[in-house]
Amino acid sequence: MKKKDKYGYLFIAPFFVVFIVFNIYPILLTLFYTLTNYKGYGEYQMVGLDNWGKMLTDKFFGQAILNTWKIWGPNILIQLGLALILVVIFVDLKWKIKALGFFRTIFYLPNLITLASVAMLFTAILNWKYGSLNQILVTLGLANTEINWFGKPITAQMWVSTIQAWMWFGNSFIILMAGAQGLSKDYFEAARVDGANRFQIFFGILLPLLKPILLYVFITSLIGGMQLFELPLLMSTDNGLGGPSNSLNTMILYMYNQGFRFKNFGYASTIAYGVFILTAVFSVIGYKLMYGKGGVNE
Amino acid sequence: MSFRKIYSLLLVFVMVISIAGCGGGSSDKPTSKQKASNENNGTERKYEGEKLVVWSFTDELLPAKEAFEEEYGCEVEVSITPNEDYPQTIKPVLESGQGAPDVFTAEAGYVLDFVNADYYENLSQPPYHADALKNDYVDYVYATGSDYDGNVRALSWQMTTGGIFYRRSVAKEVFGTDDPKAIGDKLSSLDKLFQTAEELNAAGYRIFSGEADLRWFTNPDQIPWVDENNRLTIPDSRIDYLDYSKRLRDEELTALATEWSPAWFGGMYGPIQVGESGEETTVFAYALPTWGLHYVLKTSTPEETADGETPKNPTWGDWAVTSGPCSYYWGGTWLGVYKNSKKKEMAWDFVKFIAHDEEPFLYDWLKETGDVTSILSIQEKYAEGFEESFLGGQNHVKFFIEGGKAIDPKRMTKYDKDLDNYWNSARDDYINGLKTKEEAIQGFKEAAKAAYPDIQIN
């Protein structure tokens, strides 16, 4: 029998060591904490499934799930919509837009600004009585008086959603554009010869062929969106608690506050698992909705 | 958001800026540091060659670090983490003891949490006997550094009493006087404060820059959020605050600037325009504590000039400080010895060096910074002769010392910061018309229960 060389295991060991120490161990430890009343320090007792029961009946967690969706939902529509429009413009054979690299950089720029700066920037722009947006609106006569954007849940959520879309549409555009450039020009040329208009080309050729890429953008955005945290933390009106009226209290913000602020570490661990389960479920649902049973290759 | 971003954010959270040493400026007058070193000539350098590790959320300790190094011939390493991340950063370290500091500070927002979490050495025990120092301190400062059993865990050299800073010229024009006592009388209760605010409005001024200033005067009877039986208490004065806030909004008595926003600072050095449709107005007053004078009011200036110089606040000398409807405090730094430190004696000497002993460092340092001290034995001598030019020559230290004595230490609970935030959130819901008063109060109770399940709520 041929002797097996075991050196290979040695070479792949570093990855597994790091993976076990920094991924598997924390994941299992967090699972263990869900069964305790650990406060992040000191002694703790086992409390069974109390934290899980609490999470299922927690009104604030329910609100946090809804808030996350209310912010992520419009954001993905704007983000993908805008990115797709740009892709259509750039792949159009007739228009032949030049300097794609330049535009790609420009569209991607918002993504490079640190979130803290983005939050500060928009907090200043959207300030009720002193923000430049309200000053422009009033000067142009588009509003009678300044709008208190962060005085109402709907406008606060709308703005966080818009900022999120503004930051990420460039990223989606780059990925979709790369996908579109990989498509054979023959389809588009043939369609043109057959007399198809832009709408027919978009819905009949571009969109179906881009579906796998769209799915990728959609699912990664969903996973990222479910973890929405920094903007709500930095822009909420009550020092990071998720105001106005709890409307910016997203799932991860709620987990963070429960764990690090209120020191309900055990419960925060449970929320972490809750968020994981929900994200997995939503991802599967999103996938099925887009592709039905057969998946991408249907 | 990508995982990479979360990860880099975490890295930033745990990043600690180590300060190896700072250069000091020179002046004709000997500084506290120089004096400490001069007096040390010929004395034993007790901790020669040793190193003390100090963690803090503030750079206030840096002069003390240098003076202590000179005095004892040792090295003091001060690591500073921004306040927002400090509790989360230091807790795991104190828990595990790995790389833990010998001395660490705590801010008012979480000091009660820290002193009761058994991180600090019990300084009431021998050989420290810090409870013998009780009478040396203002009550609230001493009590805040003590655990629930009354053992001293942390000390502080400062107190952060609050007052109302106001513009003398506006006071003279509207009320005919700029005397702090007379103005204090006009602000001595919330009803009087509103009457004064209306007078100011009629004259084209706004009493405060923003609505947040009112929050300091909501609990004149100093009733703690949570009583000794762990029950949530909402006194009538706090409920009245919701109505007062609504009146403040409806009558537009303030300039509606958000605290810490550019407009809020703008009111400190000139008129500001309230919205595009509003008129230009001068803000009459700001509710700020001791540190507000040096770090906020004085440093608020118009933009740099073309030659790159920052102009002095043009309203310099036109301010005074007086009392509001009740005493309050805002912030503060406490420090103590880590319970598992291997250099407890040295650590305790450092704590006393900055937070108790008048000589060789503390007194002169206080004089340099104008920080208001909590140490009773030196307060009187210290307050003597202060003439603050920013406040038109007023002795603000005397004023703040009086205010600090009125603060009841029993009013403080470890829940204060979060419950205050939630209460202000309930106020916003009410004044923005999102909820009725009853709904807002109910929402507050539910949020408090979700955050702190151990609190009993009726």
Side-chain angles (χ1 to χ4, degrees):
Chain A
M1 210 171 88
K2 199 179 161 191
K3 197 185 155 208
K4 276 188 186 166
D5 199 342
K6 290 191 178 126
Y7 281 115
Y9 293 112
L10 197 66
F11 291 128
I12 61 166
F15 168 78
F16 284 97
V17 171
V18 171
F19 185 68
I20 288 167
V21 172
F22 292 106
N23 286 61
I24 301 290
Y25 173 68
I27 288 170
L28 294 179
L29 191 66
T30 305
L31 184 64
F32 173 72
Y33 282 148
T34 65
L35 308 174
T36 69
N37 61 0
Y38 186 48
K39 295 187 85 62
Y41 57 85
E43 311 258 305
Y44 56 84
Q45 283 92 40
M46 302 301 291
V47 293
L49 292 173
D50 283 7
N51 285 326
W52 288 89
K54 184 180 163 187
M55 184 171 70
L56 294 177
T57 54
D58 186 355
K59 176 181 152 188
F60 290 94
F61 185 59
Q63 264 180 14
I65 299 172
L66 271 181
N67 289 337
T68 311
W69 274 92
K70 281 184 191 165
I71 296 169
W72 179 78
N75 143 69
I76 189 68
L77 290 178
I78 304 170
Q79 200 191 111
L80 280 185
L82 210 56
L84 274 175
I85 290 172
L86 289 170
V87 168
V88 168
I89 293 170
F90 279 97
V91 298
D92 199 288
L93 293 174
K94 238 178 163 182
W95 288 340
K96 287 189 183 138
I97 307 268
K98 294 252 165 59
L100 173 65
F102 170 76
F103 285 108
R104 247 194 323 230
T105 313
I106 296 291
F107 296 145
Y108 196 74
L109 272 181
N111 207 284
L112 297 176
I113 312 171
T114 52
L115 274 158
S117 311
V118 171
M120 273 192 80
L121 183 75
F122 277 93
T123 307
I125 292 173
L126 300 172
N127 189 288
W128 181 17
K129 289 288 175 182
Y130 300 92
S132 41
L133 179 70
N134 276 336
Q135 293 194 1
I136 292 168
L137 289 179
V138 173
T139 311
L140 295 179
L142 295 171
N144 294 326
T145 179
E146 296 85 5
I147 301 161
N148 189 0
W149 299 112
F150 281 79
K152 285 196 166 56
I154 178 113
T155 43
Q157 287 172 338
M158 181 197 85
W159 272 113
V160 174
S161 195
T162 310
I163 297 166
Q164 196 73 10
W166 172 73
M167 288 189 72
W168 285 95
F169 84 92
N171 184 65
S172 302
F173 167 68
I174 287 180
I175 298 170
L176 290 175
M177 194 64 213
Q181 281 176 323
L183 303 175
S184 166
K185 283 211 170 76
D186 298 352
Y187 300 126
F188 299 95
E189 276 163 5
R192 275 249 165 260
V193 171
D194 288 347
N197 64 27
R198 287 206 169 87
F199 282 100
Q200 286 167 325
I201 292 176
F202 176 73
F203 287 107
I205 299 176
L206 189 63
L207 210 52
L209 289 177
L210 273 183
K211 234 177 170 184
I213 311 284
L214 269 175
L215 179 75
Y216 169 77
V217 174
F218 179 82
I219 298 290
T220 48
S221 170
L222 177 77
I223 293 168
M226 294 300 108
Q227 295 172 7
L228 190 63
F229 168 67
E230 296 97 329
L231 280 181
L233 173 80
L234 296 165
M235 297 190 83
S236 62
T237 51
D238 42 13
N239 293 322
L241 289 171
S245 213
N246 211 31
S247 61
L248 298 185
N249 193 21
T250 58
M251 294 193 284
I252 298 293
L253 181 60
Y254 189 52
M255 180 193 81
Y256 171 83
N257 281 332
Q258 281 289 346
F260 295 108
R261 207 159 171 161
F262 311 137
K263 286 126 206 151
N264 301 320
F265 222 82
Y267 185 50
S269 303
T270 318
I271 296 174
Y273 266 87
V275 173
F276 167 71
I277 293 166
L278 283 172
T279 308
V281 169
F282 292 145
S283 301
V284 171
I285 293 174
Y287 185 87
K288 294 278 177 207
L289 279 180
M290 279 185 95
Y291 285 99
K293 269 187 178 168
V296 180
N297 299 321
E298 189 185 29
Chain B
M1 192 185 58
S2 69
F3 181 75
R4 193 166 57 84
K5 284 212 165 163
I6 303 175
Y7 189 69
S8 49
L9 200 81
L10 274 172
L11 276 179
V12 173
F13 276 168
V14 294
M15 195 164 67
V16 173
I17 310 149
S18 288
I19 281 126
C22 286
S26 63
S27 72
D28 297 339
K29 216 176 130 198
T31 63
S32 50
K33 180 189 145 195
Q34 287 159 344
K35 198 175 166 194
S37 116
N38 292 341
E39 283 172 3
N40 186 43
N41 285 343
T43 62
E44 188 192 355
R45 287 156 77 87
K46 203 170 162 188
Y47 302 117
E48 186 98 54
E50 290 187 51
K51 183 173 150 187
L52 190 77
V53 178
V54 180
W55 277 31
S56 183
F57 61 89
T58 159
D59 61 3
E60 285 169 300
L61 306 186
L62 293 179
K65 155 204 152 68
E66 291 188 26
F68 192 80
E69 282 174 342
E70 299 256 359
E71 177 77 8
Y72 289 100
C74 58
E75 188 192 343
V76 179
E77 183 189 294
V78 182
S79 293
I80 300 167
T81 308
N83 198 25
E84 306 81 62
D85 310 325
Y86 181 71
Q88 290 89 303
T89 309
I90 197 171
K91 268 192 174 176
V93 176
L94 299 174
E95 278 294 313
S96 67
Q98 294 291 321
D102 303 299
V103 173
F104 61 100
T105 60
E107 201 256 345
Y110 45 83
V111 62
L112 282 171
D113 205 23
F114 275 28
V115 298
N116 287 297
D118 201 27
Y119 296 147
Y120 281 121
E121 176 81 343
N122 181 354
L123 299 176
S124 292
Q125 285 174 346
Y128 318 101
H129 300 294
D131 39 4
L133 309 177
K134 184 171 195 256
N135 294 330
D136 295 353
Y137 287 95
V138 167
D139 279 353
Y140 98 84
V141 174
Y142 178 84
T144 306
S146 305
D147 63 21
Y148 291 143
D149 300 323
N151 298 312
V152 182
R153 300 280 180 163
L155 296 173
S156 177
W157 68 92
Q158 65 180 187
M159 53 187 206
T160 52
T161 332
I164 296 182
F165 290 88
Y166 65 92
R167 293 283 294 274
R168 284 180 185 268
S169 55
V170 177
K172 253 189 195 150
E173 185 197 319
V174 181
F175 311 119
T177 174
D178 66 351
D179 176 45
K181 191 160 181 336
I183 303 300
D185 285 343
K186 292 187 77 67
L187 303 168
S188 57
S189 69
L190 279 177
D191 282 332
K192 281 187 177 176
L193 186 142
F194 269 80
Q195 208 180 328
T196 307
E198 279 163 0
E199 283 175 52
L200 285 161
N201 248 34
Y205 298 104
R206 304 289 170 108
I207 185 163
F208 294 130
S209 187
E211 293 172 331
D213 295 52
L214 200 65
R215 71 183 185 281
W216 301 110
F217 311 115
T218 61
N219 189 17
D221 300 323
Q222 310 203 48
I223 296 166
W225 269 122
V226 177
D227 68 13
E228 62 272 19
N229 298 320
N230 226 18
R231 271 200 307 260
L232 183 79
T233 319
I234 308 177
D236 289 344
S237 62
R238 289 209 196 262
I239 293 171
D240 292 343
Y241 163 62
L242 302 181
D243 292 318
Y244 278 120
S245 297
K246 189 152 177 58
R247 195 172 147 199
L248 206 63
R249 169 73 60 90
D250 292 347
E251 295 180 26
E252 289 211 18
L253 296 173
T254 73
L256 292 168
T258 314
E259 207 166 61
W260 309 113
S261 70
W264 185 77
F265 286 109
M268 295 178 185
Y269 55 81
I272 48 174
Q273 191 179 342
V274 190
E276 183 59 29
S277 50
E279 79 283 21
E280 203 170 64
T281 187
T282 296
V283 173
F284 174 63
Y286 285 84
L288 287 168
T290 50
W291 47 262
L293 171 65
H294 302 291
Y295 299 109
V296 185
L297 283 171
K298 279 185 181 177
T299 55
S300 293
T301 56
E303 280 172 27
E304 284 181 6
T305 51
D307 49 6
E309 277 185 38
T310 309
K312 194 171 159 179
N313 186 336
T315 62
W316 197 284
D318 189 36
W319 292 87
V321 62
T322 190
S323 46
C326 61
S327 295
Y328 71 97
Y329 75 101
W330 183 355
T333 307
W334 280 258
L335 80 166
V337 177
Y338 177 49
K339 66 166 182 180
N340 294 329
S341 166
K342 295 206 164 54
K343 294 172 187 156
K344 285 182 184 164
E345 191 193 349
M346 189 179 178
W348 171 233
D349 277 341
F350 183 77
V351 171
K352 279 192 300 179
F353 189 79
I354 183 170
H356 182 265
D357 297 345
E358 184 181 343
E359 293 292 339
F361 165 75
L362 184 58
Y363 188 79
D364 294 303
W365 179 53
L366 289 170
K367 278 282 188 189
E368 275 165 35
T369 58
D371 212 357
V372 179
T373 183
S374 60
I375 302 166
L376 292 165
S377 52
I378 56 174
Q379 268 183 350
E380 212 166 290
K381 185 172 88 172
Y382 174 64
E384 224 35 68
F386 258 107
E387 276 184 22
E388 177 55 61
S389 63
F390 186 85
L391 301 175
Q394 190 186 358
N395 185 337
H396 66 291
V397 175
K398 257 190 183 154
F399 164 80
F400 280 125
I401 284 173
E402 284 312 309
K405 287 176 185 166
I407 294 169
D408 182 358
K410 289 197 192 78
R411 71 185 283 177
M412 286 162 228
T413 72
K414 63 177 178 178
Y415 309 106
D416 289 357
K417 202 174 182 181
D418 291 326
L419 293 185
D420 282 343
N421 277 326
Y422 272 132
W423 190 245
N424 288 324
S425 196
R427 174 207 62 182
D428 287 344
D429 286 353
Y430 176 52
I431 63 177
N432 286 328
L434 302 173
K435 287 179 180 171
T436 64
K437 196 162 81 174
E438 287 67 32
E439 284 167 352
I441 295 169
Q442 188 55 33
F444 165 77
K445 287 180 179 174
E446 287 172 7
K449 186 78 191 165
Y452 295 105
D454 52 327
I455 300 179
Q456 291 177 47
I457 294 168
N458 298 325

